[in-house]
Amino acid sequence: MTVDMSVQLTYTVTWREISDGLKIQLRHSPVGRWFFRILWGLGAFLGFVIVANLLTRGVDAVGVGVWRFLLIACLLLAAFRWLMALTLLGYARHLGEHRVTVNASGIKTVTARHTNETGWQFYGRCIERRRLFVLLTPDVWGAGVMILPKRGLAAPQDSDRLRELVACHLGRLPAG
């Protein structure tokens, strides 16, 4: 006799869950890590150039247009992930309530407008956080992302069962 290890989640996606999932995706994909290294390097170089310019020419040497451009560029870089999450939230809300079944064969998602079934071989690993499980594809971009919010679980012990299922098919989950 086999024991049913399937886990059910029912939830409506929130902006914070999408934003956290994208943050995890960027941190755990090679391209995302390089992207942040390049941004930090460019930011440090730009900061050095601005400070050197201010020290040699003074504050009045830089026009108001340059300051506006720098402010807008910094705000857009900081808000990039948030804006992307807002865009994806519109799509997720269009789909409606998500009913997800995770079992030995894979993950099945059913919404009012969409049904999808994905096998475990599609995902390469899972990252667990306090509020979510995030499944990532093994490609260099980490393009495939499945966000499973823990609040969608029916009972606290379902989190342990979901963790066991993921560990069985994708390997041990990294801590924190």
Side-chain angles (χ1 to χ4, degrees):
M1 180 174 162
T2 61
V3 178
D4 181 26
M5 281 291 290
S6 67
V7 177
Q8 303 281 329
L9 294 97
T10 304
Y11 58 91
T12 302
V13 180
T14 65
W15 174 84
R16 181 165 185 165
E17 291 162 352
I18 293 174
S19 179
D20 288 349
L22 291 173
K23 181 178 177 181
I24 290 168
Q25 177 192 24
L26 284 174
R27 285 186 179 171
H28 291 276
S29 69
V31 171
R33 288 190 298 268
W34 275 104
F35 174 72
F36 274 108
R37 287 177 187 149
I38 290 170
L39 276 182
W40 277 107
L42 287 174
F45 177 73
L46 184 61
F48 175 75
V49 168
I50 289 172
V51 168
N53 193 21
L54 289 174
L55 290 175
T56 57
R57 294 185 182 178
V59 177
D60 296 336
V62 181
V64 175
V66 173
W67 289 113
R68 268 192 246 150
F69 170 75
L70 288 174
L71 178 64
I72 290 170
C74 290
L75 289 174
L76 285 177
L77 286 175
F80 177 74
R81 178 177 44 105
W82 298 334
L83 293 172
M84 185 184 285
L86 192 60
T87 303
L88 290 172
L89 179 63
Y91 174 68
R93 292 276 167 91
H94 170 73
L95 293 176
E97 182 180 74
H98 290 64
R99 291 176 305 284
V100 179
T101 304
V102 182
N103 57 29
S105 64
I107 301 166
K108 182 176 182 178
T109 306
V110 178
T111 68
R113 294 180 176 87
H114 178 73
T115 300
N116 183 36
E117 193 161 350
T118 307
W120 285 109
Q121 64 275 13
F122 182 74
Y123 297 105
R125 62 190 162 151
C126 179
I127 311 298
E128 181 181 4
R129 292 294 187 257
R130 188 169 53 92
R131 287 189 218 90
L132 337 147
F133 287 92
V134 179
L135 282 74
L136 301 169
T137 55
D139 59 306
V140 72
W141 295 95
V145 178
M146 168 66 79
I147 300 169
L148 300 172
K150 291 181 181 179
R151 67 176 173 79
L153 296 166
Q157 62 269 24
D158 287 348
S159 182
D160 294 333
R161 287 188 12 231
L162 181 57
R163 192 176 298 110
E164 286 175 32
L165 268 170
V166 169
C168 177
H169 295 284
L170 300 181
R172 198 175 131 269
L173 277 81

